[in-house]
Every structure is written in structure tokens, then in C-alpha cells.
């Protein structure tokens, strides 16, 4: 693409060299540059792209976008800009011919529930006959392809590339989880969204945002700035959870057409009545005076809230009620979200992604409604992440479980025992002696520390009686564990199934 076409909407502070020429590709990782590339030097969180300009040139780059002072060698064009990360998104939009303009694009924003809502919307939109693409925590999927998701929300250039591929594969509707990091780093500023859904806000990512107010402002920014900037016209553009206090702030502070939903707080979409069980949800909903029923295999009050969010979003873009009902009923499970891994006749073992105290509390509250024996919870906290939530996780897990086993999650570069010590600061129940041998002592109450996650899962299943419930929390769909800087294969679901099989076969646990 010719350089002037790429620079539409960009006003460089300074251009050195020829202001024209054919750009072969755009890269922000110097290792991906080829002959004729345009390299965008971004000051990153861990490395500064300006340090790799020489490498980009050695690989053939002929155009450089930069923030820092830089004098290019002869024959190279450089463009100094105020914010190169922000410019990357505009370049991507221009390079891939503004793909979101031709797709109905829905964002799901909030701490908890985003993944489940994207799965629900995908199921509903498919039932309505649309071709759907999804970008989220579990994976990116469209056109029969499923790709790993290195980030919940892709970098701005990758976002535009994937949306172009979706459009070229015939996708008509795309649903994206939009994270607070992505909003703060302007990854989605150049996407034209039709609709945004706000789920809730609970403590998470304060290692990055610093305070809950900063965290909220990052989320709010989607509705106050990004959504209006897209220029698309739709009757209702904001879908907001009125049960959540931060959602009520959005409703008060952000202007624009909206549709609210809630279980406890009256909203435009409400649940008039509902019945919850481990087998699913039956509810009668009311949308601005119209009443209809929905059924879902998903369990729990929090999943009823997720269903309300998806129903409100689908209704806002004109999806018929019948197709909404069909789509909600058709979604059998969401990977790693209260996913049952045990079979009939075994202790009920669930794997869930809950990695905040609020998410963990909600899952355990759901399980407590249906338990006949004890609840045994295996959990930990990730390293190099928000340390403030560690004691809160300890409090939530032990407050709603009969027996909790504190273990490692993704310790990354932190000492697992130090992380566990910070979790223990929030625990107010008795610490027990090591009980990894499967004694199945029905009176065992309190908490254990077993740092090895595989041993912790084995101990929980070994200690569970037939009527007990085991919850393995924190990693959900993840099929790896990060120890130091290494990512090693590890899937809670696989480990749990192996241990259940070992138990059924009478083999000894660890």
C-alpha cells in the first residue's frame, strides 16, 4: 500500500525522507520485518521498540514510525509521532481497509462473565442465521478456524487483521471480549463497535491500574469514548448491568442510548421468576413489558445474570425472541466455566476459571445451594499479578468451603510459597496437618497447603466422599502452567480426570 494511503487520519509531528513510497508490510516486532516494511517503534511494558530500529532496518524495513528522537540513514523515511502505539491502530485500520465498518461488532466489557456472554451471544446469533466470529480469553474462532489467544483482546494491528480475515470469511457478526488493558493501551480505539455490554467490576488487575477507580475509568472509557467514535447508528448501544454498583455509575455518568438488565435491581430486562439447579436454569424474563421464558444447561445465579446480558445484547440488535430462546438453550457448556469433569457415581468435580474473590465466591455460593456433603476447593493465585486480591481469595475460598487446599496457580517469577503466604493472610479457619493420603475423613474441616498443584488436585479427589463436591478454581480452560518464564503443559481437567480414573481403578494417589 502507498504510504500516503496508510497515513490517512495521521498527522505526523515530523517527516524525514520521502513522504511517499510502497509499503510492503507493517510490523511492530522487528523480527517480522521484510524488505520494504514499515516498522512501528512502540515503548512497551517490558521493552522499548526504539531499541530495535537497527534490527528492523537490517531486515529490510524502509519506513520507521517513532516517538523518540531519531535521525534515519539515507534512503529511509521516518515519521515522528506523539504516540506510536496509538498510531499502530490507525495504520492497521487503513492497511486492512477498515474491516469493522462492514461487520456488526459487539464488545463485552467487565471483570467477570465476559467469556460466558460471548459464548451465549455466539449461540444466539448462530440460531438467528448469522455467521459469527469470536475473540476472547479461550481462543479466537471464525471461518471454521480456532486460534490460540495470546491476549484476551489482540494488539490493535492484530485486531484489524483478524477482523479483516473474519470479513473475508463471510463473518457478519463478531463478538469480542475487551479487556481493561486493551482499553488503556488503545487497542480497540479504531474499531467501529455497534454495541457494548458491561457485566460488572470487581477487584482484579490492580497491579496494572493501581486503584479501583483507575480500573473503572478504563472500562468506562469504552462507553464514553470508543463506542461513540465508531459512528454506527443503533437504537440501543449500551447494555449495562444495573445490579452492579459500577454499572449504575455508567448509567449515571455516560450519555447515550442504553438498555439495562438486572435480577435484583429493576431494569429494562428483568427476571420475573427463575429456578436454579446444578442441571441448569429456568427463567421467565420481561423485556419492556414482553414476557418470555428461557432455559439453559448453565448453572447458578451469576449465569442467569450472564444470560440476561446476552439476551439484552441480542435483542438490542433486533434478534427475534424465538431465536434468542433457541440460542440460550443450545449452549451446553463453556470451557473451564463450572465445567464438570466427573461422571455419574463419582464425587462431583468441577473446574472453573474463577480467579478473583468475587468470581470464586459466586461459584461457591452456587455449589452450596445443591450440596449434600462437603465442598472441597483447590485454588491459588497467579504470580506477578495483583497481590491485593490474594488474601481476599483466601477469605472467599475458606469462607464458603468446608475444606480448602491452597496451591500454586501460575507462579511465574514469584516464589510459590510467598504467594501462598499472602493468601493465608486472609484465612480465618484452622490450618490442618498434611493430609495427602486419601483418608476420606468426613469430619476434615479447615485448610491445607499443598504447593504442587497436581498433588493438590489428587489430594482433593482422594479426600472426597461420594456426596462431596470438589471445585478446582483459577485456571479453567488453560492447558498450561507458567513457572518462572517457562510455560509447561498442565490442564486441571486432564489431571482431575486422570485422578478420578485412578480412584475408580483403586490405584493409590500421591
Amino acid at each position: 500500500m502507498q504510504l500516503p494511503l496508510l497515513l490517512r487520519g495521521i498527522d505526523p509531528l515530523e517527516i524525514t525522507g520521502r513522504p511517499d513510497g510502497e509499503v510492503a508490510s507493517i510490523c511492530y516486532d522487528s523480527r517480522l520485518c521484510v524488505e520494504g516494511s514499515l516498522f512501528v517503534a512502540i515503548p512497551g511494558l517490558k521493552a522499548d521498540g526504539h531499541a530495535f530500529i537497527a534490527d528492523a532496518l537490517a531486515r529490510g524495513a524502509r519506513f520507521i514510525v517513532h516517538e523518540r528522537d531519531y535521525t534515519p540513514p539515507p534512503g529511509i523515511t521516518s515519521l515522528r509521532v506523539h504516540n506510536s502505539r496509538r498510531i499502530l491502530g490507525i495504520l492497521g485500520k487503513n492497511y486492512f481497509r477498515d474491516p469493522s465498518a462492514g461487520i456488526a461488532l459487539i464488545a463485552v466489557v467487565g471483570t467477570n462473565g465476559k467469556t460466558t456472554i460471548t459464548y451465549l451471544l455466539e449461540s444466539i446469533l448462530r440460531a438467528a442465521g448469522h455467521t459469527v466470529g469470536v475473540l476472547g480469553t479461550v481462543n479466537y474462532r471464525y471461518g471454521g478456524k480456532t486460534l490460540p489467544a495470546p491476549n484476551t483482546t489482540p494488539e490493535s494491528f492484530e485486531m484489524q487483521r483478524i477482523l479483516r480475515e473474519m470479513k473475508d470469511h463471510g463473518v457478519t457478526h463478531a463478538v469480542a471480549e475487551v479487556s481493561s488493558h486493551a482499553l488503556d493501551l488503545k487497542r480497540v480505539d479504531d474499531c467501529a463497535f455497534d454495541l457494548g455490554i458491561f457485566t460488572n467490576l470487581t477487584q482484579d488487575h490492580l497491579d496494572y491500574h493501581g486503584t479501583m477507580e483507575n480500573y473503572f475509568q478504563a472500562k468506562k472509557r469504552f462507553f464514553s469514548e470508543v463506542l461513540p467514535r465508531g459512528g454506527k447508528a443503533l437504537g440501543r448501544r449500551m447494555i449495562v448491568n444495573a445490579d452492579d454498583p459500577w454499572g449504575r455509575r455508567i448509567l449515571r455518568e455516560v450519555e447515550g442510548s442504553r438498555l439495562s438488565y438486572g435480577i435484583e435491581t429493576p431494569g429494562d430486562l428483568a427476571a420475573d421468576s427463575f429456578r436454579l439447579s446444578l442441571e441448569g436454569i429456568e427463567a421467565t424474563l420481561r423485556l419492556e413489558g414482553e414476557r418470555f421464558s428461557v432455559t439453559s444447561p448453565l448453572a447458578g445465579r451469576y449465569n442467569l445474570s450472564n444470560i440476561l446480558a446476552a439476551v439484552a445484547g441480542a435483542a438490542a440488535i433486533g434478534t427475534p425472541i424465538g431465536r434468542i430462546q433457541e440460542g440460550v438453550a443450545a449452549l451446553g457448556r463453556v470451557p473451564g466455566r463450572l465445567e464438570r469433569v466427573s461422571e455419574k457415581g463419582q464425587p462431583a468435580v468441577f473446574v472453573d476459571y474463577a480467579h478473583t474473590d468475587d468470581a470464586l465466591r459466586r461459584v461457591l455460593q452456587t455449589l452450596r445451594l445443591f450440596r449434600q456433603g462437603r465442598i472441597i476447593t483447590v485454588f491459588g493465585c497467579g504470580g506477578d499479578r495483583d497481590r491485593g486480591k490474594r488474601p481476599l481469595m483466601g477469605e472467599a475460598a475458606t469462607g464458603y468451603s468446608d475444606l480448602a487446599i491452597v496451591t500454586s496457580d501460575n507462579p511465574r517469577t514469584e516464589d510459590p510459597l510467598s504467594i501462598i503466604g499472602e493468601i493465608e493472610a486472609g484465612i480465618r479457619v484452622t490450618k490442618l496437618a498434611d493430609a495427602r493420603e486419601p483418608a476420606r475423613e468426613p469430619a476434615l474441616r479447615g485448610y491445607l497447603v499443598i504447593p504442587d498443584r497436581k498433588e493438590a488436585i489428587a489430594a482433593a479427589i482422594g479426600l472426597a466422599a461420594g456426596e462431596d463436591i470438589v471445585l478446582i478454581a483459577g485456571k479453567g480452560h488453560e492447558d498450561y502452567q507458567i513457572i518462572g518464564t517457562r510455560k509447561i503443559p498442565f490442564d486441571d481437567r486432564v489431571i482431575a480426570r486422570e485422578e478420578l480414573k485412578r480412584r475408580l481403578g483403586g490405584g493409590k494417589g500421591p
Side-chain angles (χ1 to χ4, degrees):
M1 182 177 285
Q2 288 292 318
L3 183 62
L5 293 177
L6 273 179
L7 297 182
R8 285 175 301 179
I10 299 173
D11 187 14
L13 298 173
E14 180 184 1
I15 299 179
T16 303
R18 292 177 57 89
D20 55 16
E22 182 76 20
V23 176
S25 68
I26 297 172
C27 48
Y28 53 96
D29 180 338
S30 64
R31 294 168 295 183
L32 301 179
C33 289
V34 297
E35 187 66 33
S37 289
L38 182 151
F39 176 66
V40 185
I42 298 174
L45 300 177
K46 296 182 179 179
D48 188 344
H50 293 81
F52 299 93
I53 290 176
D55 183 60
L57 294 175
R59 295 173 187 270
R62 294 294 173 262
F63 308 88
I64 305 294
V65 173
H66 59 100
E67 294 179 20
R68 316 261 193 248
D69 289 339
Y70 170 70
T71 301
I76 301 300
T77 298
S78 73
L79 303 96
R80 188 167 68 87
V81 298
H82 177 67
N83 185 330
S84 53
R85 182 181 291 277
R86 178 71 187 84
I87 294 303
L88 180 64
I90 303 175
L91 290 170
K93 175 182 176 180
N94 292 338
Y95 189 76
F96 293 109
R97 307 185 309 282
D98 195 9
S100 60
I103 295 176
L105 184 57
I106 301 171
V108 186
V109 179
T111 306
N112 300 315
K114 297 191 298 294
T115 297
T116 297
I117 292 168
T118 62
Y119 272 83
L120 282 162
L121 281 168
E122 179 184 29
S123 184
I124 292 169
L125 294 170
R126 282 182 172 171
H130 302 302
T131 303
V132 188
V134 178
L135 297 106
T137 304
V138 175
N139 53 44
Y140 307 152
R141 52 193 185 274
Y142 55 92
K145 297 196 299 183
T146 299
L147 306 173
N151 298 302
T152 294
T153 313
E155 182 56 79
S156 58
F157 186 79
E158 305 307 322
M159 184 81 173
Q160 297 292 339
R161 178 184 61 77
I162 292 170
L163 288 172
R164 169 48 57 191
E165 288 187 13
M166 285 185 177
K167 184 76 171 62
D168 292 346
H169 278 86
V171 168
T172 58
H173 292 67
V175 188
E177 294 183 48
V178 176
S179 69
S180 58
H181 291 74
L183 288 164
D184 192 62
L185 296 171
K186 313 292 192 294
R187 290 179 185 167
V188 296
D189 277 38
D190 299 290
C191 298
F193 287 91
D194 293 73
L195 189 71
I197 299 173
F198 178 81
T199 66
N200 50 60
L201 197 75
T202 62
Q203 183 171 331
D204 201 8
H205 306 307
L206 297 194
D207 56 307
Y208 179 87
H209 295 287
T211 67
M212 284 297 291
E213 182 63 25
N214 291 342
Y215 185 29
F216 169 69
Q217 291 298 332
K219 302 285 191 184
K220 174 185 168 183
R221 184 177 165 274
F222 176 83
F223 299 93
S224 62
E225 296 181 28
V226 178
L227 187 59
R229 185 183 295 143
K232 289 181 175 177
L234 191 68
R236 302 289 184 90
R237 303 201 65 199
M238 295 192 302
I239 309 298
V240 181
N241 182 3
D243 284 336
D244 185 80
W246 301 95
R248 293 193 291 273
R249 273 192 64 180
I250 289 177
L251 291 170
R252 290 194 305 269
E253 297 175 12
V254 180
E255 295 183 357
S257 58
R258 78 278 305 278
L259 194 156
S260 63
Y261 67 91
I263 300 172
E264 299 158 3
T265 304
D268 300 303
L269 174 65
D272 279 352
S273 63
F274 54 88
R275 189 175 72 84
L276 308 176
S277 73
L278 273 181
E279 282 66 51
I281 297 169
E282 297 177 4
T284 299
L285 309 186
R286 175 177 38 82
L287 177 59
E288 298 178 320
E290 182 179 359
R291 299 176 84 247
F292 57 96
S293 63
V294 294
T295 60
S296 170
L298 303 181
R301 190 182 184 92
Y302 65 96
N303 270 324
L304 175 58
S305 182
N306 292 334
I307 288 169
L308 289 177
V311 169
I317 60 173
T319 309
I321 295 299
R323 301 288 78 78
I324 291 175
Q325 293 170 306
E326 181 182 337
V328 170
L331 180 64
R333 71 176 187 92
V334 179
R337 273 62 179 175
L338 205 58
E339 183 176 351
R340 186 164 184 159
V341 296
S342 56
E343 299 177 1
K344 191 173 181 179
Q346 298 175 331
V349 179
F350 296 90
V351 170
D352 193 87
Y353 189 55
H355 59 281
T356 68
D357 62 296
D358 180 72
L360 184 56
R361 190 176 297 110
R362 288 171 187 251
V363 171
L364 287 170
Q365 285 173 338
T366 294
L367 295 176
R368 283 172 68 91
L369 292 174
F370 314 114
R371 69 168 179 171
Q372 294 178 316
R374 293 177 304 166
I375 294 179
I376 301 172
T377 300
V378 179
F379 78 105
C381 290
D384 302 333
R385 297 293 186 268
D386 183 0
R387 294 175 60 185
K389 71 180 182 181
R390 292 172 185 174
L392 302 178
M393 289 280 285
E395 181 182 18
T398 56
Y400 290 89
S401 306
D402 298 285
L403 175 64
I405 301 178
V406 188
T407 188
S408 294
D409 191 306
N410 292 319
R412 298 184 176 87
T413 63
E414 286 194 67
D415 177 3
L417 294 180
S418 295
I419 297 172
I420 289 170
E422 293 183 16
I423 293 171
E424 289 185 278
I427 296 177
R428 300 291 179 265
V429 300
T430 303
K431 184 174 183 177
L432 304 170
D434 192 353
R436 274 172 278 187
E437 284 298 322
R440 297 190 181 90
E441 171 53 60
L444 202 60
R445 300 289 193 276
Y447 81 99
L448 296 164
V449 171
I450 303 178
D452 185 283
R453 192 173 182 91
K454 184 174 182 179
E455 289 186 16
I457 292 170
I461 292 173
L463 288 165
E467 67 275 13
D468 291 341
I469 295 174
V470 175
L471 173 67
I472 306 167
K475 291 174 58 58
H477 65 280
E478 293 179 352
D479 59 2
Y480 58 84
Q481 191 171 27
I482 304 173
I483 300 175
T485 57
R486 293 175 56 239
K487 184 182 282 191
I488 62 173
F490 193 101
D491 190 320
D492 285 352
R493 297 165 296 184
V494 172
I495 301 299
R497 289 188 182 108
E498 288 175 351
E499 200 55 40
L500 285 163
K501 185 177 180 182
R502 188 200 310 273
R503 170 180 166 139
L504 191 64
K508 283 191 102 177

